[in-house]
Amino acid sequence: MRMSEGKQDLSHRSKKENIKDKGDIKDNIKQFISYFFVGGMAAVVEWIMFFLFANVITLNYILSTVLAFIFSTTVNWILGRVFTFKNSKSYKNNVGKEAFAIFLVSAVGLLFNILLMYIFVTVIGFESVIGKTVSKIVATGIVFVWNFLIRKLVVYREE
């Protein structure tokens, strides 16, 4: 009799854990979708700023990438904090530390972005206005995944 009760308890715990895991998966998917939209808005800011810096002001594409990065990271941090990671208590009382962590993580993303831009524009030769713009969009998409994962798993991880 005790053995079957023990099995029922195990079975009951497993169901509860499965429900919790499914809830975590749903929460992660919702958070990813939110970050997708927040990242999308920041990406639009980045692309517009890059286009203006690189094609209107005619700055070097690397400098344009850096300047666009500063604008988009600021937008991404603010919107991400308000919408995607709003329940995080990681930096509840230390906005400066949070901003530093976000810009540090994003700086690594910027290095990826610059490397990708260099490969696309200089190595492959996508030097036209359209080529540089498409290269920027592709690089942004690749770096997007990096930014989300590091923010989710490192910057705003729940302890």
Side-chain angles (χ1 to χ4, degrees):
M1 185 81 171
R2 289 238 186 246
M3 286 288 263
S4 66
E5 286 175 8
K7 285 182 182 178
Q8 285 178 339
D9 283 346
L10 276 175
S11 173
H12 187 65
R13 272 191 219 128
S14 295
K15 286 179 185 175
K16 280 186 178 179
E17 288 173 4
N18 285 339
I19 291 169
K20 183 185 179 304
D21 289 345
K22 287 178 184 174
D24 289 344
I25 291 169
K26 279 185 179 179
D27 290 342
N28 287 333
I29 290 170
K30 285 180 187 175
Q31 196 172 44
F32 182 81
I33 291 169
S34 172
Y35 189 78
F36 180 80
F37 284 105
V38 165
M41 287 186 259
V44 169
V45 168
E46 184 171 5
W47 299 336
I48 290 169
M49 298 309 293
F50 175 80
F51 180 84
L52 292 174
F53 291 131
N55 299 303
V56 176
I57 301 173
T58 64
L59 297 175
N60 175 278
Y61 72 90
I62 298 291
L63 179 58
S64 297
T65 298
V66 172
L67 293 173
F69 157 81
I70 292 168
F71 282 91
S72 68
T73 299
T74 303
V75 167
N76 194 297
W77 168 48
I78 292 167
L79 295 177
R81 190 65 174 108
V82 170
F83 296 108
T84 306
F85 299 108
K86 62 186 171 203
N87 296 325
S88 175
K89 295 172 182 68
S90 300
Y91 298 97
K92 187 176 180 181
N93 298 317
N94 199 338
V95 174
K97 189 175 178 181
E98 178 183 8
F100 178 77
I102 292 300
F103 273 86
L104 182 63
V105 166
S106 294
V108 174
L110 173 63
L111 293 176
F112 290 154
N113 216 316
I114 290 170
L115 176 63
L116 291 167
M117 288 299 291
Y118 175 78
I119 290 168
F120 294 144
V121 175
T122 303
V123 175
I124 297 174
F126 297 143
E127 295 177 358
S128 68
V129 170
I130 292 174
K132 286 188 284 189
T133 304
V134 169
S135 296
K136 184 68 186 128
I137 291 168
V138 171
T140 301
I142 293 168
V143 173
F144 167 83
V145 175
W146 154 263
N147 281 332
F148 175 76
L149 290 174
I150 296 303
R151 287 179 194 202
K152 170 80 175 154
L153 301 174
V154 177
V155 175
Y156 292 117
R157 80 174 178 271
E158 298 297 324
E159 296 182 28

